[in-house]
Amino acid sequence: MAQHHHHHEPTGTSLAGAAQATLERNGEQWTPMRAAIFEALAGEEKPASAYDIADHVSKARGKRVAPNSVYRILDLFVSSNLAMRVESANAYIANAHPGCLHDCIFLVCRTCGEATHVDDDALTGNVRKRAANEGFTAERPIIEVLGTCAKCAA
């Protein structure tokens, strides 16, 4: 039986505040560039590439931001649980509950590109157990299910 995990999901400034607190707890600084990149990522409706975020931040700041800089910050965000990488889309989404660690399950719509993050600790626990049975230590399972979302199917 699947365990469902419910969150109160912060948005806007409360999400940015939760992200900042999480990053600072990890001993990192919340710089203006990191804040701008997180704000741009959190404002996206679907997974965004580093190039999408660089364009958004460049326009907002009035000067060019290099995608390589954005990639480095996104990597920091992923390692700090502020963002999650959707491998099949080579893109990122902001973690709506940065203080909570879960393995990732994404439902990725091939039509509109939206990715829905769901938590199912029973399912990912079974993936971890299976990996352990093979002598493999799973760092963080990521499961992506490609298909069609309810909006596009309608």
Side-chain angles (χ1 to χ4, degrees), residues 17-93:
Q20 179 178 354
T22 299
L23 197 63
E24 289 174 345
R25 261 194 315 275
N26 291 343
E28 296 285 347
Q29 292 182 346
W30 187 254
T31 65
M33 179 61 80
R34 290 174 180 176
I37 289 172
F38 187 82
E39 180 184 327
L41 181 63
E44 293 288 337
E45 296 276 319
K46 31 186 153 178
S49 72
Y51 289 91
D52 295 335
I53 295 167
D55 286 346
H56 181 90
V57 174
S58 293
K59 286 176 187 164
R61 294 184 133 216
K63 62 182 181 179
R64 186 178 176 278
V65 174
N68 284 345
S69 299
V70 174
Y71 270 117
R72 280 193 298 278
I73 292 171
L74 289 171
D75 286 344
L76 172 65
F77 286 174
V78 169
S79 68
S80 300
N81 201 40
L82 305 184
M84 296 170 283
R85 182 174 159 84
V86 180
E87 299 289 336
S88 62
N90 191 23
Y92 301 82
I93 60 173

Side-chain angles (χ1 to χ4, degrees), residues 100-112:
C100 199
L101 279 173
H102 287 283
D103 296 327
C104 295
I105 302 170
F106 292 112
L107 308 176
V108 182
C109 180
R110 285 188 186 271
T111 304
C112 70

